[in-house]
Amino acid sequence: MLAIAERATLAWLVRRLPPSVTPDHLTSIGLVGALVTASGFIACWWSNWFLFAVVFGLFLNWFGDSLDGTLARYRKIERPHYGYFIDHSADLIAQTLIVVGLGFSPFFTIPSALLVLSLYLLMSSYTYLRVVTESVHRLSYGGMGATEFRILVASWALFAAWLGPGIATGRLFSFIALDVVIGLLSACTFLGFVWIVRNDLSRLQHEERAAQKAKAAMRAPGQDVLFELPKPDLAEQVAR
């Protein structure tokens, strides 16, 4: 939802970064931001003023994570394999810290946080599969990418702090109400994921069958498609 405005902001920022700043520096800043966020969440047990650390940490994580690849492309210093590996490894570590930190805060529960984290890792795995099979790197699902997720986390923490500690302790029968809501949302998200995978499998199967038919049509009539034997090279045999 914020992709257009975010791209314009990143383009403005990347032109103003000092030459001494490298993409690896920005990746490190993103990880530090995630650690600050997680620490701030845990410290909120003592005071809600630590929410400032949470918001600041999420900003640092966005700044580093969003600008590292942008800077590499802007300066034409891309390292495709190294950059891809370190960027997504850092993403997995950072999002794990943020979501688990949220689970240890007064505003969420560990079961709900683990459900959210499992869905994030599920969609990440699917994204990496598409990179391998189709060379397509999808950055968002349902209009929500990493930036929107950070805003959602910060908004929830601020809302929960305003509402009070009861939001993570209220019960529905013998269950915590928050866990029930997150569980239902997670189940819907999982079903949506299965539907996406099913559609992609059907599309890939159709594309591969069409490619096989096109390849078979280019062969000579009467030639066996499945058991094509290589033509002997008589000149090579004579030479041997």
Side-chain angles (χ1 to χ4, degrees):
M1 293 183 290
L2 302 175
I4 296 176
E6 183 178 16
R7 279 197 295 267
T9 303
L10 294 176
W12 184 87
L13 287 171
V14 78
R15 291 193 294 268
R16 287 161 176 79
L17 289 174
S20 58
V21 176
T22 67
D24 285 351
H25 292 156
L26 293 170
T27 301
S28 300
I29 289 174
L31 287 173
V32 169
L35 186 60
V36 170
T37 301
S39 302
F41 271 133
I42 297 172
C44 283
W45 283 104
W46 290 275
S47 173
N48 283 346
W49 287 105
F50 284 103
L51 282 171
F52 284 106
V54 170
V55 174
F56 178 67
L58 288 170
F59 170 77
L60 278 183
N61 179 250
W62 169 82
F63 184 85
D65 179 51
S66 301
L67 273 176
D68 52 3
T70 305
L71 181 64
R73 289 186 291 273
Y74 176 73
R75 294 181 180 173
K76 301 187 186 307
I77 54 173
E78 303 101 313
R79 290 173 292 177
H81 294 99
Y82 174 84
Y84 182 85
F85 186 86
I86 192 174
D87 184 44
H88 292 290
S89 298
D91 285 346
L92 293 172
I93 295 171
Q95 297 303 327
T96 299
L97 286 172
I98 291 171
V99 175
V100 172
L102 175 63
F104 279 106
S105 75
F107 317 122
F108 222 59
T109 65
I110 288 295
S112 292
L114 293 179
L115 271 177
V116 172
L117 181 61
S118 66
L119 290 174
Y120 171 80
L121 296 176
L122 186 73
M123 301 309 292
S124 296
S125 301
Y126 170 72
T127 298
Y128 305 148
L129 284 174
R130 288 200 65 185
V131 171
V132 173
T133 57
E134 302 179 70
S135 298
V136 173
H137 189 185
R138 188 169 180 176
L139 297 175
S140 64
Y141 297 91
M144 177 166 291
T147 300
E148 289 80 8
F149 178 74
R150 295 183 188 99
I151 293 174
L152 182 63
V153 169
S155 300
W156 171 261
L158 294 171
F159 172 75
W162 171 76
L163 198 63
I167 196 167
T169 57
R171 290 195 165 269
L172 184 64
F173 301 109
S174 58
F175 302 98
I176 295 178
L178 180 62
D179 290 342
V180 174
V181 173
I182 296 298
L184 291 174
L185 292 175
S186 298
C188 293
T189 304
F190 181 78
L191 291 176
F193 169 77
V194 173
W195 181 77
I196 291 173
V197 171
R198 179 183 176 277
N199 287 344
D200 283 346
L201 283 174
S202 299
R203 177 175 51 80
L204 288 172
Q205 187 179 48
H206 176 75
E207 291 174 356
E208 289 189 351
R209 284 178 176 173
Q212 288 173 353
K213 288 180 180 179
K215 188 176 180 181
M218 296 175 63
R219 296 175 184 272
Q223 193 173 14
D224 194 331
V225 175
L226 295 178
F227 301 100
E228 179 184 353
L229 297 176
K231 295 180 180 180
D233 189 341
L234 297 180
E236 184 181 353
Q237 291 180 6
V238 171
R240 289 180 178 177

